[in-house]
Amino acid sequence: MNGTGPTPRTIRVLIADDQPLVRRGLSLILSPDPSFEVVGEAEDGAQAVALARRLRPDVVVMDIRMPVLDGVGATGELAVTVPGCRVLALSTFDLDEYVVGALRAGAYGFLPKDSSPEDLSAAIRTVHAGEAVVAPRLLTRLISTHVRASRAARPVPAGPTGPGELTPREVEVWRLMATGLDNTEISRALDISLSTVKNYITSIFGKLAVRDRAQAVIAAYESGLVTARAD
């Protein structure tokens, strides 16, 4: 009795980067792992969109700054035309304003280019599972740096007077999420169970019409619920 279960499905990956050495390096990192299949490489955003439409990868590892069509524009097009494909954004800089645009456009996560091969593999698996890949405190630093109060603030929903409005407790959870606390830290801060925190966050996502934590944090800064602190 060998006790082995069904073999997990291979994750099909498309790599998009304008530097050939980076594309080749990423491919060489992923190819030896049997859980990944690199199905194609693109040298700009337009080519990434065209290849993704044809090859239907599970995950696109997408450089943010590329010619012809940058990673933000490509991510937005993929979110509409290949919604089953998930984007993991890459950037040379931790605090790249383009990353905020990519997260707004539908990217599932962000990874600095100097991340380890192990971090890259783990991030692709996480994105493939439909979860966000951005460290909470890096996310809040990134967004507070590049989401400016000059945008017209939307009123923060604070009362249970309509189905689309957040309750005061949900606003409190949203605020803590936007300041960089993870679910366990929110649970401790509010003295509630982890499962209750997760239920609140699911409700918040639905009421704000956002897909994930990154988009919820962006919405918190844009609404004025939280404001950027000067470093």
Side-chain angles (χ1 to χ4, degrees), residues 154 157-171 174 199-211 219:
R154 296 188 296 262
T161 57
E165 295 182 334
L166 271 62
T167 66
R169 190 60 145 178
E170 288 170 342
V171 171
W174 185 25
N199 289 338
Y200 277 130
I201 289 175
T202 298
S203 177
I204 290 165
F205 288 176
K207 291 180 178 181
L208 295 177
V210 300
R211 193 205 54 226

Side-chain angles (χ1 to χ4, degrees), residues 59-75:
V59 176
V60 178
V61 178
M62 180 89 73
D63 183 26
I64 291 299
R65 296 173 181 262
M66 291 187 292
V68 185
L69 179 67
D70 65 23
V72 177
T75 297

Side-chain angles (χ1 to χ4, degrees), residues 9 12 39 51-59 81-85:
R9 190 172 74 82
R12 293 165 51 81
V39 296
L51 284 175
R53 287 172 175 165
R54 179 164 61 87
L55 300 172
R56 300 285 162 169
D58 299 306
V59 176
T81 61
V82 195
C85 168

